[in-house]
Amino acid sequence: MTKQAVILAGGLGARFGKRTEAMPKGFIEIDGVPMVERSIQKLIANGIEEIIIGTGHCSEFYDALAKKYHVIKTARNNNFANTSSMGTLAVCAPLIKGDFLLLESDLIYDAVALKVLQNESRANVMLASGKSNSHDEVYLATNGNGVLQEVSKDKKTIPNPAGELVGISKVSKSCLEKMLAYYNSSPSLIKLDYENALKHVSISGESVFVNKIEFLAWTEIDDESMLSRALDEIYPRIKENESLQKIRREVLLNPGPSTTSDSVKYAQVVADICPRELEFGDLMEQVANDLTAFVADASKYTTIMFGCSGTGADEAMVSSCVPPNGKLLVVDNGSYGARLAKIAGVYNIDMDVFKSSTYEPIDVDALEKQFKSKKYTTFAMVHHETTTGLLNHVEEICPLAKKYGMTTIVDTVSSYGGMPIDLEKFGIDFATCTSNKHIGGMAGIGFVVCNKEKLLEQKDWPMRNYYLNLYDQYQYFLETKQTRFTPPVQTLYALRQAITETKVETIEKRFARFTECWEILVRALDKIGLKMLVDRKNQSHFITAILIPDTPRYNFNALHDFSRSKGFTIYPGKLGNIDTFRIANMGDIQPCEMQEFVAVLEEYMHSIGVC
Ligand SMILES: *Cc1c(COP(=O)(O)O)cnc(C)c1O
């Protein structure tokens, strides 16, 4: 799958006259959004992680857009007035790393165009459509094998066209190099456009295939009459297609799995592939590297994935990371800490449990006393205790544990991807997570981010586990670029898209979004008069445990069913004899949706006389 796109946006847009004198064509708005920005959003939703925009005329507009989307890089063609699209592509070339999608800037199109190109296994493909009747058609001719032979606006040159040029292509790095060599071969080619460069490469041996989508909804917008045609005919078709593909929105306020974006859901629909193919190995390697990079320096840490839930990752970590004859100390201040201890028990690992309040911060002095006994090789705790929403201060506790010589293993399942984490700074050697919480993928992949030096210590330890063995899984992948057993193939494609969307949003901004949702919730609880289990200063902002109101009329199932009928799923929580219900901020949830939910909550609480 291609990860880079190049948008050629250097042109003057002269055919628009006054309208584009002080603005690039791509900034003409369709339904309130500049057409180039529509294109950018579609590219991101289809796996593109980096967009290079070749600018020229009014380049400052694109530089401003690059501030809004940090995945955009701009490259200015200073000679835009005397060159054409190939001149702009040449300026972008140094930023291009491999395969890329090449787009014109003045297009609106149905996103299926990108899906088709991302699904292509051929290296160079030019997208074509059937008859557009746009009165500005560029015709394509192919040979019997569908290889591009001619590009022309003149129907006489191409009496039986294979299709019309859309302005979206997939280009390989070697094809780009040949295009550049041709462009630079003679000064007379200064005004060459990219489509003719592609044609030249195609007829001189590196095939460029034409893939035609007969009824693709798309148009280039070059002048006022094309703009009105776009608004009256084409955009309504695109909008209808897109609304038909929308999946019913269910906002999950339960503590995982979390709400996913439609683009993550659709990312699972891919060609079948044997996971032992190198292509899939490359995908897993890239995913693992990206997962590491979110929380650590990839030269010191590595990510090991398994087909399992978050608990599977916890089990892999606990059962792999305690040395033979080692001793584990586990902090238990909620269900997930208790679960770590339970796993260690099942594997007969020698262990002590440090019990701490489920809703108050850990007493670090008392814990340090226990550290001082020097009985332990390994220290385990949970970063964010999802049971209550209590955020534990791992960044204070783990460096201390390391000071006393312990290896630190931490469940970061419900904090990873939701807030900035630096494993080295936090003193964490091993951290677990899952594909389905803050990272926003589908459930099915558990992973452990490991300090490599610590991981390598496990090399000669006798195996206490089999499927879940960290070192074996690591070593096998290193040697073969394969997992030992069948990985959840489609889930990995979804995770890859979720990673792309995390990179686009950034983890800092994601944390800010969750915090905004949490503030909306907390304000509403104050207004309704509901109390929270954990003091707000100790809360994570990811989960809020709310004490149930003191009235016999309260019924969790009734609240659940009422919320669900409005599109919100909530979850109960019982801590000893304390009854709560819990609201999570995870995944693809927006502040406006939390606003809608608190109105639903208030309506229910009002109906039972709480407010
Ligand atoms: C969700 C969660 C897990 C794992 O749950 P699974 O259902 O196994 O995915 C583990 N630890 C914490 C802190 C969690 O929030």
Side-chain angles (χ1 to χ4, degrees), residues 421-590:
I421 290 176
D422 180 336
L423 293 183
E424 194 173 12
K425 219 168 93 194
F426 286 16
I428 300 175
D429 296 320
F430 295 86
T432 54
C433 193
T434 148
S435 48
N436 73 84
K437 285 193 179 170
H438 291 306
I439 203 81
M442 295 296 160
I445 298 163
F447 57 92
V448 189
V449 190
C450 312
N451 177 318
K452 275 194 227 173
E453 220 180 281
K454 290 280 175 184
L455 177 67
L456 294 178
E457 287 176 7
Q458 298 173 16
K459 184 168 177 287
D460 297 318
W461 295 359
M463 279 163 83
R464 194 186 275 124
N465 49 16
Y466 180 59
Y467 180 86
L468 292 173
N469 192 267
L470 275 185
Y471 184 81
D472 231 31
Q473 185 83 339
Y474 167 76
Q475 189 56 31
Y476 191 85
F477 191 80
L478 208 61
E479 281 166 15
T480 61
K481 267 208 186 186
Q482 298 172 9
T483 49
R484 291 172 300 160
F485 311 105
T486 308
V489 175
Q490 288 70 20
T491 310
L492 267 149
Y493 285 99
L495 179 55
R496 183 198 177 288
Q497 178 63 23
I499 287 170
T500 297
E501 293 175 17
T502 306
K503 286 187 188 172
V504 171
E505 182 174 27
T506 74
I507 290 177
E508 286 76 12
K509 291 216 175 95
R510 183 164 291 182
F511 182 63
R513 171 163 62 81
F514 292 145
T515 297
E516 192 181 340
C517 290
W518 175 77
E519 282 166 350
I520 291 166
L521 176 67
V522 169
R523 270 199 302 276
L525 296 176
D526 284 345
K527 182 171 165 225
I528 298 168
L530 289 170
K531 298 263 172 299
M532 296 179 285
L533 178 65
V534 176
D535 218 18
R536 58 195 77 187
K537 69 172 189 301
N538 297 322
Q539 286 188 35
S540 60
H541 306 179
F542 305 140
I543 291 275
T544 308
I546 301 156
L547 300 175
I548 65 164
D550 187 16
T551 160
R553 293 173 70 190
Y554 172 80
N555 176 307
F556 176 77
N557 289 335
L559 172 59
H560 169 273
D561 294 352
F562 181 61
S563 302
R564 184 86 207 280
S565 74
K566 307 274 186 186
F568 298 98
T569 303
I570 64 165
Y571 207 70
K574 202 168 165 70
L575 274 148
N577 52 3
I578 308 172
D579 241 336
T580 68
F581 64 94
R582 290 183 287 169
I583 303 301
N585 282 310
M586 282 186 182
D588 186 40
I589 177 184
Q590 299 301 325

Side-chain angles (χ1 to χ4, degrees), residues 208-392:
V208 176
F209 294 90
V210 172
N211 186 334
K212 177 171 160 187
I213 310 175
E214 185 67 46
F215 297 107
L216 182 69
W218 75 279
T219 184
E220 187 185 9
I221 303 179
D222 249 346
D223 58 30
E224 293 296 340
S225 81
M226 286 170 109
L227 178 59
S228 32
R229 179 171 160 274
L231 292 172
D232 298 343
E233 289 173 39
I234 312 293
Y235 179 65
R237 271 179 68 200
I238 295 174
K239 208 166 133 180
E240 183 179 8
N241 289 353
E242 283 171 359
S243 73
L244 290 173
Q245 286 170 40
K246 270 219 164 68
I247 294 167
R248 178 168 54 92
R249 180 95 175 144
E250 288 283 344
V251 178
L252 302 183
L253 300 175
N254 48 290
S258 55
T259 304
T260 54
S261 64
D262 279 2
S263 35
V264 166
K265 293 180 186 82
Y266 278 116
Q268 298 174 103
V269 185
V270 285
D272 290 318
I273 186 167
C274 170
R276 302 211 179 271
E277 288 296 328
L278 183 60
E279 182 187 335
F280 194 75
D282 287 340
L283 170 92
M284 285 194 286
E285 185 178 46
Q286 189 60 54
V287 164
N289 288 346
D290 284 344
L291 291 173
T292 307
F294 281 136
V295 292
D297 174 350
S299 69
K300 295 184 189 154
Y301 284 77
T302 187
T303 293
I304 303 170
M305 299 184 284
F306 295 93
C308 63
S309 81
T311 305
D314 281 339
E315 184 162 343
M317 177 174 76
V318 171
S319 58
S320 300
C321 294
V322 183
N325 306 316
K327 184 158 180 163
L328 177 68
L329 177 65
V330 186
V331 174
D332 169 4
N333 66 341
S335 313
Y336 293 96
R339 190 178 292 180
L340 295 177
K342 177 119 195 174
I343 293 167
V346 167
Y347 285 90
N348 280 321
I349 291 168
D350 189 15
M351 154 187 63
D352 285 336
V353 176
F354 180 89
K355 276 259 187 196
S356 175
S357 157
T358 52
Y359 51 88
E360 279 176 352
I362 295 167
D363 180 347
V364 180
D365 291 338
L367 186 58
E368 190 176 5
K369 268 200 200 108
Q370 190 129 358
F371 288 171
K372 279 185 179 150
S373 71
K374 296 254 176 117
K375 281 194 291 201
Y376 308 104
T377 52
T378 319
F379 173 70
M381 70 181 292
V382 174
H383 185 198
H384 170 227
E385 203 17 285
T386 321
T387 333
T388 55
L390 180 67
L391 190 68
N392 290 325

Side-chain angles (χ1 to χ4, degrees), residues 21-274:
E21 255 172 33
M23 174 178 91
K25 238 187 333 182
F27 279 80
I28 291 174
E29 290 185 2
I30 306 290
D31 205 3
V33 181
M35 56 179 150
V36 71
E37 195 168 347
R38 286 186 175 281
S39 186
I40 286 160
Q41 289 166 354
K42 287 178 189 194
L43 287 165
I44 292 168
N46 285 282
I48 296 295
E49 287 189 352
E50 188 175 69
I51 299 165
I52 300 158
I53 305 185
T55 66
H57 174 58
C58 296
S59 55
E60 64 280 5
F61 279 72
Y62 288 105
D63 295 333
L65 195 64
K67 294 218 170 71
K68 181 169 172 190
Y69 296 86
H70 69 97
V71 293
I72 296 177
K73 288 200 175 93
T74 57
R76 189 169 194 272
N77 174 8
N78 293 325
N79 196 17
F80 68 90
N82 302 310
T83 60
S84 184
S85 56
M86 193 57 215
T88 302
L89 179 58
V91 171
C92 297
L95 297 170
I96 299 171
K97 297 171 198 150
D99 287 5
F100 62 103
L101 298 186
L102 180 60
L103 295 93
E104 298 173 25
S105 67
D106 52 353
L107 291 175
I108 60 166
Y109 54 89
D110 187 324
V112 76
L114 301 179
K115 290 192 172 39
V116 166
L117 286 185
Q118 288 288 40
N119 195 32
E120 270 286 354
S121 57
R122 298 174 294 187
N124 306 303
V125 181
M126 198 180 238
L127 205 65
S129 74
K131 284 195 178 62
S132 68
N133 301 314
S134 70
H135 306 299
D136 196 34
E137 295 90 340
V138 176
Y139 300 104
L140 303 176
T142 55
N143 67 13
N145 297 321
V147 176
L148 181 67
Q149 303 291 307
E150 187 57 271
V151 179
S152 175
K153 285 198 165 192
D154 184 1
K155 192 104 195 225
K156 285 190 225 82
T157 323
I158 304 178
N160 295 306
E164 294 180 17
L165 174 76
V166 172
I168 309 178
S169 308
K170 177 184 158 186
V171 181
S172 68
K173 182 97 193 189
S174 76
C175 179
L176 172 68
E177 273 155 18
K178 287 175 187 152
M179 290 164 85
L180 290 169
Y182 175 57
Y183 182 55
N184 294 326
S185 67
S186 159
S188 67
L189 293 171
I190 181 126
K191 281 201 178 286
L192 183 72
D193 50 38
Y194 82 91
E195 59 269 31
N196 275 297
L198 274 172
K199 174 194 99 176
H200 174 83
V201 173
S202 187
I203 56 181
S204 17
E206 175 152 350
S207 298
V208 176
F209 294 90
V210 172
N211 186 334
K212 177 171 160 187
I213 310 175
E214 185 67 46
F215 297 107
L216 182 69
W218 75 279
T219 184
E220 187 185 9
I221 303 179
D222 249 346
D223 58 30
E224 293 296 340
S225 81
M226 286 170 109
L227 178 59
S228 32
R229 179 171 160 274
L231 292 172
D232 298 343
E233 289 173 39
I234 312 293
Y235 179 65
R237 271 179 68 200
I238 295 174
K239 208 166 133 180
E240 183 179 8
N241 289 353
E242 283 171 359
S243 73
L244 290 173
Q245 286 170 40
K246 270 219 164 68
I247 294 167
R248 178 168 54 92
R249 180 95 175 144
E250 288 283 344
V251 178
L252 302 183
L253 300 175
N254 48 290
S258 55
T259 304
T260 54
S261 64
D262 279 2
S263 35
V264 166
K265 293 180 186 82
Y266 278 116
Q268 298 174 103
V269 185
V270 285
D272 290 318
I273 186 167
C274 170

